[in-house]
């Protein structure tokens, strides 16, 4: 309680600790699932100082770490459906919001601006969403745009060539839409813009080994 030493924590379940740190102006390093590159196993873990996702500018980073993940963004492709990917109830509670209410209000707003079919994809158990019903599969299914709050599904949407709408703090926000009234005419980033953002984010996620060797700490403190 009396220390101001930085702490590390994992998962949004530690929201009370994060809020205490913010109130005390005490640095914390938040750890959670990486932005991309994870398949059956969680090889990559994002680490962010004083936030749950990287919300800074798109840093100019080399492509080496992105290439290691074998992730290649695809060009924008048209579709007919709007895919809503709400965060979990636990995630929304951090912001003092109710997930079900957010979905209802989001659908109501969308229906004022479009007649497109709306599909709501609730968060699946990891064994499901990592194998038989992945976000990539959902996005390939005739999707026009993805709407979410702060889910890293927004990054997957950009990788899959879909315009994304983020309604909360999100690492995709440099290339995301935020006004649902523009659902029929969303901003669509080009491949170079998406590639640059992914190169940046690849330097904000790390393997366990990279944490053990000190590489992650060197990047986080501006030494690498």
């Amino acid at each position: 309680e009396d220390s101001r030493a930085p702490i590390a924590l994992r998962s949004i379940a530690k929201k009370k600790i994060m809020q205490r740190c913010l109130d005390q102006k005490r640095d914390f390093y938040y750890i959670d699932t990486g932005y991309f590159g994870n398949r059956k196993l969680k090889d990559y873990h994002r680490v962010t100082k004083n936030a749950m996702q990287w919300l800074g500018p798109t840093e100019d980073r080399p492509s080496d770490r992105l290439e290691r993940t074998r992730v290649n963004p695809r060009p924008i492709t048209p579709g007919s459906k709007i895919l809503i990917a709400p965060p979990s109830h636990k995630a929304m509670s951090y912001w003092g919001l109710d997930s079900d209410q957010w979905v209802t209000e989001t659908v109501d707003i969308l229906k004022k601006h479009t007649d497109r079919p709306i599909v709501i994809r609730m968060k699946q158990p990891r064994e499901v969403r990592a194998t038989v019903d992945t976000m990539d599969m959902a996005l390939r299914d005739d999707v026009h745009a993805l709407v979410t709050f702060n889910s890293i599904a927004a990054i997957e949407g950009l990788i899959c060539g879909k315009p994304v709408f983020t309604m909360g703090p999100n690492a995709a926000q440099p290339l995301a839409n935020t006004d649902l009234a523009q659902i029929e005419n969303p901003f669509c980033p080009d491949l170079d813009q998406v590639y640059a953002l992914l190169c940046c984010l690849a330097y904000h996620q790390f393997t366990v080994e990279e944490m053990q060797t000190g590489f992650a700490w060197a990047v986080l403190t501006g030494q690498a």
Side-chain angles (χ1 to χ4, degrees):
E1 287 290 331
D2 296 329
S3 172
R4 291 296 178 269
I7 63 171
L9 50 89
R10 185 182 180 92
S11 97
I12 201 168
K14 306 296 191 301
K15 65 178 183 178
K16 291 183 179 179
I17 299 176
M18 287 188 280
Q19 189 57 57
R20 180 68 64 85
C21 287
L22 291 170
D23 292 343
Q24 295 178 338
K25 295 181 172 54
R26 178 177 181 174
D27 288 337
F28 67 89
Y29 291 85
Y30 178 84
I31 306 170
D32 212 324
T33 304
Y35 299 105
F36 51 82
N38 290 319
R39 292 173 175 81
K40 291 185 178 181
L41 298 176
K42 288 188 179 182
D43 295 317
Y44 290 97
H45 309 265
R46 69 184 189 266
V47 186
T48 316
K49 183 179 180 180
N50 298 334
M52 290 185 290
Q53 296 184 35
W54 172 251
L55 303 176
T58 301
E59 300 169 326
D60 184 14
R61 291 286 192 173
S63 62
D64 57 335
R65 292 182 60 77
L66 173 60
E67 291 170 0
R68 203 175 305 163
T69 67
R70 304 193 303 278
V71 169
N72 295 297
R74 301 193 289 270
I76 294 291
T77 54
S80 64
K81 305 174 187 175
I82 298 169
L83 181 64
I84 299 179
S88 65
H89 290 281
K90 184 170 60 176
M92 290 298 274
S93 69
Y94 178 86
W95 306 103
L97 300 172
D98 179 80
S99 183
D100 293 335
Q101 182 179 354
W102 179 82
V103 170
T104 299
E105 292 175 352
T106 300
V107 170
D108 288 344
I109 295 171
L110 287 169
K111 286 183 175 179
K112 293 178 181 178
H113 301 286
T114 185
D115 293 324
R116 293 177 181 272
I118 298 173
V119 177
I120 299 169
R121 176 186 167 83
M122 304 306 295
K123 191 171 184 179
Q124 306 289 327
R126 175 162 177 79
E127 62 270 16
V128 174
R129 66 178 188 269
T131 54
V132 297
D133 187 16
T134 67
M135 180 58 71
D136 183 79
M137 294 174 185
L139 289 163
R140 287 175 181 267
D141 187 17
D142 192 29
V143 168
H144 163 68
L146 171 71
V147 179
T148 188
F149 189 76
N150 71 323
S151 172
I152 59 172
I155 299 297
E156 295 183 72
L158 293 175
I159 292 170
C160 291
K162 301 297 178 180
V164 300
F165 287 75
T166 57
M167 313 313 293
N170 196 295
Q173 63 190 29
L175 303 180
N177 299 266
T178 57
D179 182 3
L180 293 177
Q182 301 302 313
I183 191 66
E184 285 295 335
N185 188 33
F187 165 69
C188 298
D190 60 38
L191 276 175
D192 288 341
Q193 290 173 304
V194 175
Y195 195 79
L197 178 60
L198 296 181
C199 287
C200 168
L201 294 180
Y203 272 82
H204 290 277
Q205 63 175 25
F206 309 95
T207 65
V208 171
E209 181 181 10
E210 289 170 337
M211 295 183 198
Q212 292 170 333
T213 62
F215 174 77
W217 184 246
V219 172
L220 290 165
T221 54
Q223 302 172 56

